[in-house]
Amino acid sequence: MSQAPALSLDVALVGGGIMSATLGTFLQQVEPSWSIGLFENLDRAGLESSDPWNNAGTGHSALCELNYAPAAADGSVDPKKSLGINEQFQLSRQFFSWAVTNGLVKDPQSFIHPLPHMSFVIGEDHQRYLKTRYESLSANPLFASMEYTEDRDQIGDWTPLVGEGRTQKTVAASRVKDGTDVDFGSLTRQLVDGLGAKGADIRFRHRVTNLTKTANGWQLEVKNQGTGETFAVDAKFVFVGAGGGALPLLQKSGIDEAKGYGGFPVSGEFLRCTNNEVIARHEAKVYGQASVGAPPMSVPHLDTRYVGGKKALMFGPYGGFSPKFLKTGKLWDLPASVRGNNLLPMLAVAKDNLDLVKYLVTELLKTRNQQMNAMRDYYPAANAEDWELITAGQRVQVIKKDPKKKGVLQFGTEVIAAGDGTIAGLLGASPGASTATPIMLGLLQRCFPSKYAGWEDTLKAMVPTLGHTLNDEPDLYAETKAVTDKVLKLA
Ligand SMILES: Cc1cc2nc3c(=O)[nH]c(=O)nc-3n(C[C@H](O)[C@H](O)[C@H](O)COP(=O)(O)OP(=O)(O)OC[C@H]3O[C@@H](n4cnc5c(N)ncnc54)[C@H](O)[C@@H]3O)c2cc1C
């Protein structure tokens, strides 16, 4: 039953991460007269998964992440998935560039830095795979600048920490110089500030505790965490951009489209370097191969980061398990998410993913010595005293119904939207923040089908190659990349 609302909005954004920030920015441009409210449980925007210490900051464009180019049974590598990820990041780069040009972000170096993306492997099988991947990808305009080597000295030139003290002879690496490191937390906060400056009602320390369908949209129950007061907010459209908190809220909404979905939380830890001399000697994101059973996004990487303008160096992630759905969540998040409609898919996933369970248990039991040894595959001369352990964000992987297997675990993201388009939410976390732009553009098209055509010109002013496939239009790719490189100070 609905109460008299304290606030009536056109759009309510639940959560202040990169997804809500991106969607809100698009909506404010296409419908400047719409009233927008954003409710964030924590003190500031971008403090959960979008925070720079909670994710790896890779501008995912499949330049170095081997999980986006798996080998087929015959050893061949199909470039399709990598091309798709790269195409998506081109849209994000254009959106970032628009945000800088339009003054929403003052200085691009507050959130994005150019950084070589490398893949590094050890052993004959992996070397063969990396060469095949290089041949398959570099034949495409989007990957034409990829380099490949099996020469240890060359690898040492590209990245001294990876070469130094290395004894294995059979190694290989690929490199694309124009990858990026992105501080999604800084970007999120600047976009949310921009929303507020243009009239959106931004409420930090406000938690959305329930959602009820009304005749004109939805009524949200919102709790002010400072005063303890609870009030009602009416909204014609709701985006549940609550990250790991999205599944419980979508379940509360009762929409049919959310039924059958479950979540499997995977936590991560990184080792962070405390030695400035070591940090200064590395300038790349170096990704390797995932261990057997590891979820695809858990591939180890030795990573330069730029956080708050300061250079950092991380290695990880080490997988872990916590039943929380957010880093600031509750231990009962996982059990509380079990429903009659998702129990079967969840049990099926538990039965079919023993490799993953084994991987997580092994990771949890790793001693610091074993963690350091894992790093030494990438940085053989690493000294344990130079590294401290930090806990990263929570990822809630999507569990969904499957006609054959009853339930499957999915590592991508999925937009759940009600058939009438009045509510949508995002589940899953990979490739994540890097794809916020294309995901939110897709959401606009899906939830506002009758308005989208009228919005297209405005959207194309923000993301000029919307609707194009840049790999098929190399001149357009070169032209737009030159513009974004200049605006974002990447060249
Ligand atoms: C270890 C790790 C590494 C990653 N590495 C990368 C990477 O290298 N590159 C990349 O592109 N992506 C990466 N990702 C994924 C990326 O971080 C996420 O996809 C992205 O940040 C999700 O953004 P979001 O806005 O959906 O969620 P979040 O940033 O988590 O924001 C959700 C917000 O909702 C708030 N909230 C939750 N419930 C409520 C409620 N009931 N009421 C009000 N507010 C609520 C939370 O406090 C939070 O601020 C990584 C993720 C992890 C965990």
Side-chain angles (χ1 to χ4, degrees):
M1 198 134 109
S2 72
Q3 301 171 30
L7 202 61
S8 286
L9 298 166
D10 291 303
V11 175
L13 304 168
V14 184
I18 187 66
M19 299 295 167
S20 288
T22 305
L23 182 65
T25 305
F26 280 131
L27 282 170
Q28 216 171 38
Q29 291 301 311
V30 293
E31 293 290 350
S33 65
W34 282 9
S35 53
I36 299 179
L38 183 150
F39 303 94
E40 165 55 51
N41 184 39
L42 301 177
D43 295 349
R44 293 170 75 198
L47 289 182
E48 269 285 345
S49 288
S50 301
D51 182 83
W53 296 120
N54 287 345
N55 65 67
T58 305
H60 283 304
S61 21
L63 303 174
C64 58
E65 310 87 328
L66 303 179
N67 54 306
Y68 297 139
D74 66 357
S76 64
V77 171
D78 182 348
K80 203 165 143 226
K81 188 168 185 186
S82 296
L83 284 170
I85 304 276
N86 196 307
E87 290 279 355
Q88 290 187 319
F89 193 61
Q90 301 307 324
L91 300 181
S92 293
R93 283 170 62 115
Q94 291 168 31
F95 173 66
F96 300 164
S97 185
W98 173 87
V100 171
T101 308
N102 286 274
L104 269 76
V105 176
K106 301 287 171 279
D107 177 5
Q109 296 197 326
S110 62
F111 79 98
I112 191 163
H113 286 82
L115 197 65
H117 280 196
M118 283 179 60
S119 310
F120 171 74
V121 294
I122 303 169
E124 260 177 52
D125 288 352
H126 289 159
Q127 193 185 59
R128 201 173 310 115
Y129 158 73
L130 195 67
K131 188 164 186 216
T132 310
R133 171 185 177 270
Y134 160 72
E135 286 163 355
S136 164
L137 292 186
S138 61
N140 297 281
L142 292 179
F143 291 89
S145 63
M146 184 178 273
E147 304 166 86
Y148 174 80
T149 186
E150 295 176 2
D151 178 356
R152 241 171 30 174
D153 293 340
Q154 174 74 77
I155 294 171
D157 278 352
W158 285 354
T159 168
L161 298 190
V162 177
E164 181 177 290
R166 183 157 302 281
T167 50
Q168 302 98 344
K169 290 208 167 58
T170 313
V171 290
S174 62
R175 174 174 78 158
V176 179
K177 279 192 193 153
D178 52 5
T180 51
D181 174 70
V182 185
D183 178 340
F184 292 106
S186 167
L187 176 63
T188 302
R189 286 187 268 280
Q190 296 186 68
L191 292 177
V192 169
D193 285 350
L195 285 175
K198 286 209 170 112
D201 189 341
I202 309 291
R203 308 249 182 145
F204 296 127
R205 305 197 71 201
H206 279 69
R207 179 175 183 76
V208 175
T209 50
N210 207 356
L211 306 122
T212 323
K213 186 83 184 91
T214 63
N216 297 322
W218 290 87
Q219 184 160 93
L220 274 54
E221 185 182 277
V222 182
K223 183 174 180 193
N224 178 332
Q225 302 282 53
T227 62
E229 175 211 5
T230 296
F231 58 96
V233 175
D234 279 359
K236 291 180 192 147
F237 172 76
V238 178
F239 173 60
V240 185
L247 177 66
L249 284 174
L250 286 168
Q251 288 177 327
K252 281 184 179 172
S253 77
I255 59 169
D256 284 344
E257 290 77 1
K259 291 192 175 136
Y261 282 89
F264 182 79
V266 177
S267 57
E269 289 181 326
F270 284 92
L271 282 170
R272 178 165 63 188
C273 189
T274 53
N275 182 331
N276 287 332
E277 281 172 30
V278 176
I279 296 169
R281 292 180 60 223
H282 190 71
E283 183 67 15
K285 289 190 181 281
V286 183
Y287 273 63
Q289 283 282 23
S291 344
V292 176
M297 71 288 165
S298 292
V299 286
H301 43 98
L302 184 67
D303 244 0
T304 296
R305 304 289 316 274
Y306 288 91
V307 178
K310 198 166 172 249
K311 191 173 171 185
L313 177 62
M314 316 261 277
F315 179 80
Y318 300 97
F321 178 77
S322 154
K324 293 180 182 180
F325 278 178
L326 290 158
K327 198 171 168 180
T328 56
K330 302 272 188 300
L331 290 172
W332 57 84
D333 284 346
L334 176 60
S337 73
V338 180
R339 298 278 187 288
N341 61 52
N342 65 13
L343 182 61
L344 208 59
M346 290 179 85
L347 289 175
V349 162
K351 177 174 78 58
D352 293 343
N353 287 274
L354 292 178
D355 269 356
L356 172 62
V357 175
K358 197 171 147 211
Y359 160 80
L360 290 175
V361 172
T362 314
E363 288 285 290
L364 279 169
L365 295 177
K366 261 188 184 153
T367 60
R368 172 56 79 88
N369 219 2
Q370 287 168 319
Q371 288 180 330
M372 284 306 299
N373 283 338
M375 190 202 298
R376 288 189 184 109
D377 277 348
Y378 297 84
Y379 173 22
N383 178 355
E385 284 170 15
D386 292 340
W387 298 83
E388 63 184 8
L389 198 63
I390 65 162
T391 302
Q394 282 289 98
R395 274 186 160 116
V396 182
Q397 310 301 338
V398 180
I399 293 177
K400 62 192 277 194
K401 283 183 183 164
D402 180 82
K404 275 199 195 131
K405 296 180 171 175
K406 298 200 170 31
V408 285
L409 185 63
Q410 189 178 280
F411 293 103
T413 45
E414 185 151 342
V415 172
I416 308 289
D420 66 0
T422 56
I423 186 168
L426 184 78
L427 300 182
S430 206
S434 302
T435 44
T437 303
I439 292 175
M440 291 306 126
L441 287 167
L443 187 145
L444 289 177
Q445 197 165 13
R446 191 161 151 196
C447 292
F448 301 94
S450 61
K451 292 196 168 288
Y452 189 81
W455 290 346
E456 255 177 329
D457 285 349
T458 308
L459 294 174
K460 280 186 180 160
M462 303 170 82
V463 183
T465 70
L466 182 62
H468 291 260
T469 303
L470 288 176
N471 200 52
D472 297 340
E473 297 181 69
D475 291 344
L476 180 62
Y477 168 55
E479 199 183 301
T480 36
K481 184 168 179 302
V483 173
T484 54
D485 277 355
K486 189 161 178 233
V487 173
L488 298 174
K489 299 188 186 162
L490 296 175

